[in-house]
PDB file of all heavy atoms in Angstrom:
ATOM      1  N   PRO A   5     -22.623  17.600  27.417  1.00  0.00           N
ATOM      2  CA  PRO A   5     -22.273  16.440  26.672  1.00  0.00           C
ATOM      3  C   PRO A   5     -20.769  16.355  26.527  1.00  0.00           C
ATOM      4  O   PRO A   5     -20.095  17.405  26.883  1.00  0.00           O
ATOM      5  CB  PRO A   5     -22.951  16.525  25.344  1.00  0.00           C
ATOM      6  CG  PRO A   5     -23.151  18.078  25.064  1.00  0.00           C
ATOM      7  CD  PRO A   5     -23.374  18.629  26.484  1.00  0.00           C
ATOM      8  N   GLY A   6     -20.304  15.226  26.093  1.00  0.00           N
ATOM      9  CA  GLY A   6     -18.834  15.058  25.875  1.00  0.00           C
ATOM     10  C   GLY A   6     -18.243  16.091  24.883  1.00  0.00           C
ATOM     11  O   GLY A   6     -18.897  16.742  24.060  1.00  0.00           O
ATOM     12  N   PRO A   7     -16.908  16.292  24.975  1.00  0.00           N
ATOM     13  CA  PRO A   7     -16.225  17.212  24.132  1.00  0.00           C
ATOM     14  C   PRO A   7     -16.334  16.892  22.674  1.00  0.00           C
ATOM     15  O   PRO A   7     -16.383  15.702  22.341  1.00  0.00           O
ATOM     16  CB  PRO A   7     -14.796  17.176  24.645  1.00  0.00           C
ATOM     17  CG  PRO A   7     -14.654  15.789  25.222  1.00  0.00           C
ATOM     18  CD  PRO A   7     -15.894  15.530  25.828  1.00  0.00           C
ATOM     19  N   PRO A   8     -16.397  17.867  21.838  1.00  0.00           N
ATOM     20  CA  PRO A   8     -16.510  17.570  20.412  1.00  0.00           C
ATOM     21  C   PRO A   8     -15.167  17.128  19.843  1.00  0.00           C
ATOM     22  O   PRO A   8     -14.085  17.500  20.284  1.00  0.00           O
ATOM     23  CB  PRO A   8     -16.935  18.887  19.743  1.00  0.00           C
ATOM     24  CG  PRO A   8     -16.378  19.922  20.783  1.00  0.00           C
ATOM     25  CD  PRO A   8     -16.472  19.304  22.041  1.00  0.00           C
ATOM     26  N   TRP A   9     -15.201  16.189  18.924  1.00  0.00           N
ATOM     27  CA  TRP A   9     -13.962  15.766  18.159  1.00  0.00           C
ATOM     28  C   TRP A   9     -13.568  16.838  17.262  1.00  0.00           C
ATOM     29  O   TRP A   9     -14.406  17.535  16.631  1.00  0.00           O
ATOM     30  CB  TRP A   9     -14.270  14.577  17.358  1.00  0.00           C
ATOM     31  CG  TRP A   9     -14.424  13.204  18.156  1.00  0.00           C
ATOM     32  CD1 TRP A   9     -15.491  12.589  18.245  1.00  0.00           C
ATOM     33  CD2 TRP A   9     -13.419  12.633  18.926  1.00  0.00           C
ATOM     34  NE1 TRP A   9     -15.344  11.514  19.032  1.00  0.00           N
ATOM     35  CE2 TRP A   9     -14.053  11.419  19.433  1.00  0.00           C
ATOM     36  CE3 TRP A   9     -12.120  12.843  19.210  1.00  0.00           C
ATOM     37  CZ2 TRP A   9     -13.292  10.559  20.269  1.00  0.00           C
ATOM     38  CZ3 TRP A   9     -11.343  11.935  20.006  1.00  0.00           C
ATOM     39  CH2 TRP A   9     -12.019  10.825  20.525  1.00  0.00           C
ATOM     40  N   PRO A  10     -12.261  17.011  16.895  1.00  0.00           N
ATOM     41  CA  PRO A  10     -11.767  18.005  15.944  1.00  0.00           C
ATOM     42  C   PRO A  10     -12.330  17.517  14.650  1.00  0.00           C
ATOM     43  O   PRO A  10     -12.658  16.367  14.347  1.00  0.00           O
ATOM     44  CB  PRO A  10     -10.296  17.855  16.037  1.00  0.00           C
ATOM     45  CG  PRO A  10      -9.984  17.357  17.368  1.00  0.00           C
ATOM     46  CD  PRO A  10     -11.206  16.404  17.783  1.00  0.00           C
ATOM     47  N   GLU A  11     -12.470  18.500  13.707  1.00  0.00           N
ATOM     48  CA  GLU A  11     -13.031  18.166  12.455  1.00  0.00           C
ATOM     49  C   GLU A  11     -12.223  17.178  11.624  1.00  0.00           C
ATOM     50  O   GLU A  11     -12.774  16.317  10.891  1.00  0.00           O
ATOM     51  CB  GLU A  11     -13.053  19.575  11.509  1.00  0.00           C
ATOM     52  CG  GLU A  11     -14.238  20.503  12.023  1.00  0.00           C
ATOM     53  CD  GLU A  11     -15.606  19.859  11.905  1.00  0.00           C
ATOM     54  OE1 GLU A  11     -15.856  19.106  10.944  1.00  0.00           O
ATOM     55  OE2 GLU A  11     -16.467  20.094  12.832  1.00  0.00           O
ATOM     56  N   GLU A  12     -10.860  17.219  11.849  1.00  0.00           N
ATOM     57  CA  GLU A  12      -9.964  16.210  11.122  1.00  0.00           C
ATOM     58  C   GLU A  12     -10.350  14.949  11.587  1.00  0.00           C
ATOM     59  O   GLU A  12     -10.118  13.924  10.818  1.00  0.00           O
ATOM     60  CB  GLU A  12      -8.511  16.631  11.111  1.00  0.00           C
ATOM     61  CG  GLU A  12      -7.984  16.639  12.615  1.00  0.00           C
ATOM     62  CD  GLU A  12      -8.120  18.064  13.226  1.00  0.00           C
ATOM     63  OE1 GLU A  12      -8.871  18.839  12.764  1.00  0.00           O
ATOM     64  OE2 GLU A  12      -7.299  18.293  14.187  1.00  0.00           O
ATOM     65  N   VAL A  13     -10.646  14.691  12.838  1.00  0.00           N
ATOM     66  CA  VAL A  13     -11.023  13.401  13.365  1.00  0.00           C
ATOM     67  C   VAL A  13     -12.296  12.855  12.870  1.00  0.00           C
ATOM     68  O   VAL A  13     -12.492  11.749  12.323  1.00  0.00           O
ATOM     69  CB  VAL A  13     -11.009  13.331  14.924  1.00  0.00           C
ATOM     70  CG1 VAL A  13     -11.534  12.092  15.428  1.00  0.00           C
ATOM     71  CG2 VAL A  13      -9.546  13.706  15.430  1.00  0.00           C
ATOM     72  N   LEU A  14     -13.315  13.755  12.921  1.00  0.00           N
ATOM     73  CA  LEU A  14     -14.638  13.436  12.353  1.00  0.00           C
ATOM     74  C   LEU A  14     -14.647  13.089  10.856  1.00  0.00           C
ATOM     75  O   LEU A  14     -15.434  12.261  10.392  1.00  0.00           O
ATOM     76  CB  LEU A  14     -15.514  14.602  12.617  1.00  0.00           C
ATOM     77  CG  LEU A  14     -15.951  14.818  14.115  1.00  0.00           C
ATOM     78  CD1 LEU A  14     -16.846  16.050  14.216  1.00  0.00           C
ATOM     79  CD2 LEU A  14     -16.673  13.601  14.745  1.00  0.00           C
ATOM     80  N   ALA A  15     -13.713  13.669  10.221  1.00  0.00           N
ATOM     81  CA  ALA A  15     -13.599  13.483   8.704  1.00  0.00           C
ATOM     82  C   ALA A  15     -13.344  12.052   8.474  1.00  0.00           C
ATOM     83  O   ALA A  15     -13.768  11.423   7.350  1.00  0.00           O
ATOM     84  CB  ALA A  15     -12.636  14.415   8.099  1.00  0.00           C
ATOM     85  N   ARG A  16     -12.654  11.358   9.373  1.00  0.00           N
ATOM     86  CA  ARG A  16     -12.295   9.965   9.082  1.00  0.00           C
ATOM     87  C   ARG A  16     -13.489   9.038   9.066  1.00  0.00           C
ATOM     88  O   ARG A  16     -13.415   7.914   8.498  1.00  0.00           O
ATOM     89  CB  ARG A  16     -11.219   9.472  10.132  1.00  0.00           C
ATOM     90  CG  ARG A  16      -9.964  10.234  10.221  1.00  0.00           C
ATOM     91  CD  ARG A  16      -9.202  10.301   8.799  1.00  0.00           C
ATOM     92  NE  ARG A  16      -8.901   8.984   8.356  1.00  0.00           N
ATOM     93  CZ  ARG A  16      -8.418   8.702   7.117  1.00  0.00           C
ATOM     94  NH1 ARG A  16      -8.394   9.704   6.230  1.00  0.00           N
ATOM     95  NH2 ARG A  16      -8.147   7.511   6.842  1.00  0.00           N
ATOM     96  N   ARG A  17     -14.597   9.489   9.696  1.00  0.00           N
ATOM     97  CA  ARG A  17     -15.860   8.703   9.692  1.00  0.00           C
ATOM     98  C   ARG A  17     -16.323   8.341   8.201  1.00  0.00           C
ATOM     99  O   ARG A  17     -17.075   7.347   8.036  1.00  0.00           O
ATOM    100  CB  ARG A  17     -16.853   9.372  10.456  1.00  0.00           C
ATOM    101  CG  ARG A  17     -16.513   9.655  11.843  1.00  0.00           C
ATOM    102  CD  ARG A  17     -17.582  10.640  12.489  1.00  0.00           C
ATOM    103  NE  ARG A  17     -18.775  10.063  12.827  1.00  0.00           N
ATOM    104  CZ  ARG A  17     -19.963  10.583  12.534  1.00  0.00           C
ATOM    105  NH1 ARG A  17     -20.121  11.701  11.897  1.00  0.00           N
ATOM    106  NH2 ARG A  17     -21.079   9.946  12.970  1.00  0.00           N
ATOM    107  N   HIS A  18     -16.032   9.211   7.323  1.00  0.00           N
ATOM    108  CA  HIS A  18     -16.471   9.120   6.011  1.00  0.00           C
ATOM    109  C   HIS A  18     -15.454   8.610   5.063  1.00  0.00           C
ATOM    110  O   HIS A  18     -15.711   8.482   3.803  1.00  0.00           O
ATOM    111  CB  HIS A  18     -17.050  10.473   5.445  1.00  0.00           C
ATOM    112  CG  HIS A  18     -17.988  11.033   6.481  1.00  0.00           C
ATOM    113  ND1 HIS A  18     -19.236  10.494   6.697  1.00  0.00           N
ATOM    114  CD2 HIS A  18     -17.947  12.200   7.266  1.00  0.00           C
ATOM    115  CE1 HIS A  18     -19.881  11.234   7.677  1.00  0.00           C
ATOM    116  NE2 HIS A  18     -19.160  12.221   8.049  1.00  0.00           N
ATOM    117  N   VAL A  19     -14.329   8.204   5.561  1.00  0.00           N
ATOM    118  CA  VAL A  19     -13.193   7.742   4.837  1.00  0.00           C
ATOM    119  C   VAL A  19     -12.939   6.255   5.067  1.00  0.00           C
ATOM    120  O   VAL A  19     -12.645   5.389   4.226  1.00  0.00           O
ATOM    121  CB  VAL A  19     -11.932   8.577   5.000  1.00  0.00           C
ATOM    122  CG1 VAL A  19     -10.773   7.919   4.163  1.00  0.00           C
ATOM    123  CG2 VAL A  19     -12.104   9.968   4.535  1.00  0.00           C
ATOM    124  N   LEU A  20     -13.084   5.865   6.281  1.00  0.00           N
ATOM    125  CA  LEU A  20     -12.727   4.430   6.757  1.00  0.00           C
ATOM    126  C   LEU A  20     -13.818   3.516   6.074  1.00  0.00           C
ATOM    127  O   LEU A  20     -15.019   3.834   6.060  1.00  0.00           O
ATOM    128  CB  LEU A  20     -12.888   4.288   8.268  1.00  0.00           C
ATOM    129  CG  LEU A  20     -11.772   5.008   8.955  1.00  0.00           C
ATOM    130  CD1 LEU A  20     -12.096   5.076  10.474  1.00  0.00           C
ATOM    131  CD2 LEU A  20     -10.413   4.338   8.793  1.00  0.00           C
ATOM    132  N   PRO A  21     -13.310   2.441   5.529  1.00  0.00           N
ATOM    133  CA  PRO A  21     -14.351   1.485   4.864  1.00  0.00           C
ATOM    134  C   PRO A  21     -15.028   0.651   5.766  1.00  0.00           C
ATOM    135  O   PRO A  21     -14.667   0.434   6.988  1.00  0.00           O
ATOM    136  CB  PRO A  21     -13.383   0.561   3.982  1.00  0.00           C
ATOM    137  CG  PRO A  21     -12.049   0.488   4.919  1.00  0.00           C
ATOM    138  CD  PRO A  21     -11.877   2.024   5.429  1.00  0.00           C
ATOM    139  N   THR A  22     -16.249   0.185   5.306  1.00  0.00           N
ATOM    140  CA  THR A  22     -17.133  -0.711   6.154  1.00  0.00           C
ATOM    141  C   THR A  22     -16.327  -1.968   6.441  1.00  0.00           C
ATOM    142  O   THR A  22     -16.377  -2.420   7.603  1.00  0.00           O
ATOM    143  CB  THR A  22     -18.406  -1.065   5.346  1.00  0.00           C
ATOM    144  OG1 THR A  22     -19.037   0.139   5.118  1.00  0.00           O
ATOM    145  CG2 THR A  22     -19.265  -1.925   6.292  1.00  0.00           C
ATOM    146  N   LYS A  23     -15.651  -2.537   5.555  1.00  0.00           N
ATOM    147  CA  LYS A  23     -14.821  -3.739   5.772  1.00  0.00           C
ATOM    148  C   LYS A  23     -13.419  -3.249   6.195  1.00  0.00           C
ATOM    149  O   LYS A  23     -12.750  -2.539   5.380  1.00  0.00           O
ATOM    150  CB  LYS A  23     -14.799  -4.573   4.497  1.00  0.00           C
ATOM    151  CG  LYS A  23     -14.180  -6.011   4.781  1.00  0.00           C
ATOM    152  CD  LYS A  23     -14.396  -6.897   3.622  1.00  0.00           C
ATOM    153  CE  LYS A  23     -13.959  -8.368   3.886  1.00  0.00           C
ATOM    154  NZ  LYS A  23     -14.864  -9.009   4.933  1.00  0.00           N
ATOM    155  N   PRO A  24     -12.842  -3.646   7.280  1.00  0.00           N
ATOM    156  CA  PRO A  24     -11.627  -3.103   7.682  1.00  0.00           C
ATOM    157  C   PRO A  24     -10.482  -3.374   6.737  1.00  0.00           C
ATOM    158  O   PRO A  24     -10.456  -4.470   6.151  1.00  0.00           O
ATOM    159  CB  PRO A  24     -11.403  -3.794   9.061  1.00  0.00           C
ATOM    160  CG  PRO A  24     -12.724  -4.329   9.511  1.00  0.00           C
ATOM    161  CD  PRO A  24     -13.486  -4.583   8.271  1.00  0.00           C
ATOM    162  N   ASP A  25      -9.608  -2.469   6.583  1.00  0.00           N
ATOM    163  CA  ASP A  25      -8.538  -2.609   5.675  1.00  0.00           C
ATOM    164  C   ASP A  25      -7.194  -2.002   6.163  1.00  0.00           C
ATOM    165  O   ASP A  25      -6.851  -0.933   5.783  1.00  0.00           O
ATOM    166  CB  ASP A  25      -8.942  -2.059   4.295  1.00  0.00           C
ATOM    167  CG  ASP A  25      -7.904  -2.334   3.183  1.00  0.00           C
ATOM    168  OD1 ASP A  25      -7.036  -3.182   3.451  1.00  0.00           O
ATOM    169  OD2 ASP A  25      -7.923  -1.683   2.118  1.00  0.00           O
ATOM    170  N   PRO A  26      -6.506  -2.790   7.101  1.00  0.00           N
ATOM    171  CA  PRO A  26      -5.232  -2.220   7.577  1.00  0.00           C
ATOM    172  C   PRO A  26      -4.109  -2.432   6.699  1.00  0.00           C
ATOM    173  O   PRO A  26      -2.982  -1.977   6.957  1.00  0.00           O
ATOM    174  CB  PRO A  26      -5.018  -3.000   8.901  1.00  0.00           C
ATOM    175  CG  PRO A  26      -5.696  -4.338   8.631  1.00  0.00           C
ATOM    176  CD  PRO A  26      -6.854  -4.036   7.759  1.00  0.00           C
ATOM    177  N   GLY A  27      -4.290  -3.157   5.577  1.00  0.00           N
ATOM    178  CA  GLY A  27      -3.225  -3.528   4.627  1.00  0.00           C
ATOM    179  C   GLY A  27      -2.378  -4.656   5.318  1.00  0.00           C
ATOM    180  O   GLY A  27      -2.839  -5.358   6.097  1.00  0.00           O
ATOM    181  N   VAL A  28      -1.192  -4.845   4.823  1.00  0.00           N
ATOM    182  CA  VAL A  28      -0.233  -5.748   5.345  1.00  0.00           C
ATOM    183  C   VAL A  28       0.562  -4.957   6.485  1.00  0.00           C
ATOM    184  O   VAL A  28       1.156  -3.993   6.180  1.00  0.00           O
ATOM    185  CB  VAL A  28       0.709  -6.323   4.230  1.00  0.00           C
ATOM    186  CG1 VAL A  28       1.683  -7.204   4.915  1.00  0.00           C
ATOM    187  CG2 VAL A  28      -0.091  -7.037   3.198  1.00  0.00           C
ATOM    188  N   VAL A  29       0.502  -5.608   7.637  1.00  0.00           N
ATOM    189  CA  VAL A  29       1.185  -4.886   8.732  1.00  0.00           C
ATOM    190  C   VAL A  29       2.446  -5.764   9.210  1.00  0.00           C
ATOM    191  O   VAL A  29       2.382  -6.903   9.310  1.00  0.00           O
ATOM    192  CB  VAL A  29       0.195  -4.795  10.005  1.00  0.00           C
ATOM    193  CG1 VAL A  29       0.967  -4.218  11.222  1.00  0.00           C
ATOM    194  CG2 VAL A  29      -0.992  -3.922   9.632  1.00  0.00           C
ATOM    195  N   ARG A  30       3.559  -5.063   9.255  1.00  0.00           N
ATOM    196  CA  ARG A  30       4.770  -5.621   9.592  1.00  0.00           C
ATOM    197  C   ARG A  30       5.339  -5.174  10.934  1.00  0.00           C
ATOM    198  O   ARG A  30       5.371  -4.044  11.223  1.00  0.00           O
ATOM    199  CB  ARG A  30       5.888  -5.503   8.515  1.00  0.00           C
ATOM    200  CG  ARG A  30       5.454  -6.133   7.160  1.00  0.00           C
ATOM    201  CD  ARG A  30       6.499  -5.858   6.055  1.00  0.00           C
ATOM    202  NE  ARG A  30       6.140  -6.647   4.797  1.00  0.00           N
ATOM    203  CZ  ARG A  30       5.273  -6.228   3.933  1.00  0.00           C
ATOM    204  NH1 ARG A  30       4.565  -5.041   4.136  1.00  0.00           N
ATOM    205  NH2 ARG A  30       5.002  -6.936   2.888  1.00  0.00           N
ATOM    206  N   THR A  31       5.640  -6.121  11.785  1.00  0.00           N
ATOM    207  CA  THR A  31       6.238  -5.770  13.102  1.00  0.00           C
ATOM    208  C   THR A  31       7.538  -6.319  13.129  1.00  0.00           C
ATOM    209  O   THR A  31       8.133  -6.822  12.130  1.00  0.00           O
ATOM    210  CB  THR A  31       5.306  -6.341  14.143  1.00  0.00           C
ATOM    211  OG1 THR A  31       5.367  -7.844  14.111  1.00  0.00           O
ATOM    212  CG2 THR A  31       3.894  -5.905  14.106  1.00  0.00           C
ATOM    213  N   GLU A  32       8.160  -6.295  14.375  1.00  0.00           N
ATOM    214  CA  GLU A  32       9.608  -6.694  14.435  1.00  0.00           C
ATOM    215  C   GLU A  32       9.841  -8.144  13.953  1.00  0.00           C
ATOM    216  O   GLU A  32      10.784  -8.408  13.254  1.00  0.00           O
ATOM    217  CB  GLU A  32       9.952  -6.636  15.913  1.00  0.00           C
ATOM    218  CG  GLU A  32      11.389  -6.969  16.146  1.00  0.00           C
ATOM    219  CD  GLU A  32      11.776  -6.857  17.648  1.00  0.00           C
ATOM    220  OE1 GLU A  32      11.083  -6.430  18.463  1.00  0.00           O
ATOM    221  OE2 GLU A  32      12.953  -7.244  18.016  1.00  0.00           O
ATOM    222  N   ARG A  33       8.943  -8.979  14.278  1.00  0.00           N
ATOM    223  CA  ARG A  33       9.202 -10.455  13.925  1.00  0.00           C
ATOM    224  C   ARG A  33       8.054 -11.078  13.011  1.00  0.00           C
ATOM    225  O   ARG A  33       8.221 -12.188  12.549  1.00  0.00           O
ATOM    226  CB  ARG A  33       9.101 -11.347  15.179  1.00  0.00           C
ATOM    227  CG  ARG A  33      10.308 -10.972  16.182  1.00  0.00           C
ATOM    228  CD  ARG A  33      10.063 -11.833  17.473  1.00  0.00           C
ATOM    229  NE  ARG A  33       8.803 -11.513  18.197  1.00  0.00           N
ATOM    230  CZ  ARG A  33       8.361 -12.129  19.189  1.00  0.00           C
ATOM    231  NH1 ARG A  33       9.015 -13.268  19.620  1.00  0.00           N
ATOM    232  NH2 ARG A  33       7.296 -11.792  19.747  1.00  0.00           N
ATOM    233  N   LEU A  34       7.063 -10.273  12.746  1.00  0.00           N
ATOM    234  CA  LEU A  34       5.802 -10.870  12.154  1.00  0.00           C
ATOM    235  C   LEU A  34       5.399 -10.055  10.927  1.00  0.00           C
ATOM    236  O   LEU A  34       5.585  -8.881  10.732  1.00  0.00           O
ATOM    237  CB  LEU A  34       4.603 -10.970  13.143  1.00  0.00           C
ATOM    238  CG  LEU A  34       5.078 -11.690  14.536  1.00  0.00           C
ATOM    239  CD1 LEU A  34       4.068 -11.378  15.551  1.00  0.00           C
ATOM    240  CD2 LEU A  34       5.152 -13.149  14.156  1.00  0.00           C
ATOM    241  N   GLU A  35       4.550 -10.779  10.115  1.00  0.00           N
ATOM    242  CA  GLU A  35       3.795 -10.104   9.068  1.00  0.00           C
ATOM    243  C   GLU A  35       2.354 -10.492   9.287  1.00  0.00           C
ATOM    244  O   GLU A  35       1.976 -11.652   9.528  1.00  0.00           O
ATOM    245  CB  GLU A  35       4.224 -10.590   7.654  1.00  0.00           C
ATOM    246  CG  GLU A  35       3.511  -9.930   6.515  1.00  0.00           C
ATOM    247  CD  GLU A  35       3.933 -10.381   5.194  1.00  0.00           C
ATOM    248  OE1 GLU A  35       4.973  -9.820   4.641  1.00  0.00           O
ATOM    249  OE2 GLU A  35       3.361 -11.410   4.629  1.00  0.00           O
ATOM    250  N   ILE A  36       1.461  -9.441   9.339  1.00  0.00           N
ATOM    251  CA  ILE A  36       0.017  -9.689   9.539  1.00  0.00           C
ATOM    252  C   ILE A  36      -0.678  -9.219   8.240  1.00  0.00           C
ATOM    253  O   ILE A  36      -0.733  -8.165   7.836  1.00  0.00           O
ATOM    254  CB  ILE A  36      -0.447  -8.852  10.618  1.00  0.00           C
ATOM    255  CG1 ILE A  36       0.343  -9.087  11.870  1.00  0.00           C
ATOM    256  CG2 ILE A  36      -1.921  -9.164  10.981  1.00  0.00           C
ATOM    257  CD1 ILE A  36       0.410  -7.888  12.842  1.00  0.00           C
ATOM    258  N   ARG A  37      -1.120 -10.291   7.502  1.00  0.00           N
ATOM    259  CA  ARG A  37      -1.694 -10.037   6.167  1.00  0.00           C
ATOM    260  C   ARG A  37      -3.151 -10.656   6.040  1.00  0.00           C
ATOM    261  O   ARG A  37      -3.555 -11.494   6.880  1.00  0.00           O
ATOM    262  CB  ARG A  37      -0.836 -10.708   5.133  1.00  0.00           C
ATOM    263  CG  ARG A  37      -0.579 -12.226   5.296  1.00  0.00           C
ATOM    264  CD  ARG A  37      -0.240 -12.854   3.931  1.00  0.00           C
ATOM    265  NE  ARG A  37       0.102 -14.234   4.104  1.00  0.00           N
ATOM    266  CZ  ARG A  37      -0.911 -15.260   4.147  1.00  0.00           C
ATOM    267  NH1 ARG A  37      -2.113 -14.942   4.127  1.00  0.00           N
ATOM    268  NH2 ARG A  37      -0.447 -16.501   4.287  1.00  0.00           N
ATOM    269  N   PRO A  38      -3.874 -10.237   5.089  1.00  0.00           N
ATOM    270  CA  PRO A  38      -5.181 -10.835   4.942  1.00  0.00           C
ATOM    271  C   PRO A  38      -5.201 -12.364   4.672  1.00  0.00           C
ATOM    272  O   PRO A  38      -4.362 -12.986   4.072  1.00  0.00           O
ATOM    273  CB  PRO A  38      -5.703 -10.163   3.531  1.00  0.00           C
ATOM    274  CG  PRO A  38      -5.039  -8.890   3.565  1.00  0.00           C
ATOM    275  CD  PRO A  38      -3.624  -9.156   4.083  1.00  0.00           C
ATOM    276  N   TYR A  39      -6.059 -12.975   5.491  1.00  0.00           N
ATOM    277  CA  TYR A  39      -6.289 -14.474   5.371  1.00  0.00           C
ATOM    278  C   TYR A  39      -6.778 -14.800   3.925  1.00  0.00           C
ATOM    279  O   TYR A  39      -7.684 -14.139   3.332  1.00  0.00           O
ATOM    280  CB  TYR A  39      -7.295 -14.920   6.372  1.00  0.00           C
ATOM    281  CG  TYR A  39      -8.007 -16.177   6.084  1.00  0.00           C
ATOM    282  CD1 TYR A  39      -7.406 -17.391   6.524  1.00  0.00           C
ATOM    283  CD2 TYR A  39      -9.250 -16.210   5.462  1.00  0.00           C
ATOM    284  CE1 TYR A  39      -8.063 -18.633   6.330  1.00  0.00           C
ATOM    285  CE2 TYR A  39      -9.881 -17.419   5.156  1.00  0.00           C
ATOM    286  CZ  TYR A  39      -9.269 -18.603   5.597  1.00  0.00           C
ATOM    287  OH  TYR A  39      -9.953 -19.859   5.349  1.00  0.00           O
TER     288      TYR A  39
END
């Protein structure tokens, strides 16, 4: 089977929320915020 993920990667499965939450993201010219 495929290679195992490191434990620190697998740990994120139980931390990431069901509803995505990237926060407010700022790039060079833009702000990406919740609608």
Side-chain angles (χ1 to χ4, degrees):
W9 288 114
E11 288 300 322
E12 62 269 22
V13 172
L14 292 175
R16 300 306 300 171
R17 302 167 73 225
H18 309 291
V19 175
L20 293 169
T22 301
K23 193 170 186 70
D25 187 14
V28 176
V29 177
R30 294 177 175 85
T31 64
E32 181 180 356
R33 298 175 296 170
L34 306 164
E35 180 179 276
I36 309 155
R37 59 155 175 82
Y39 158 87

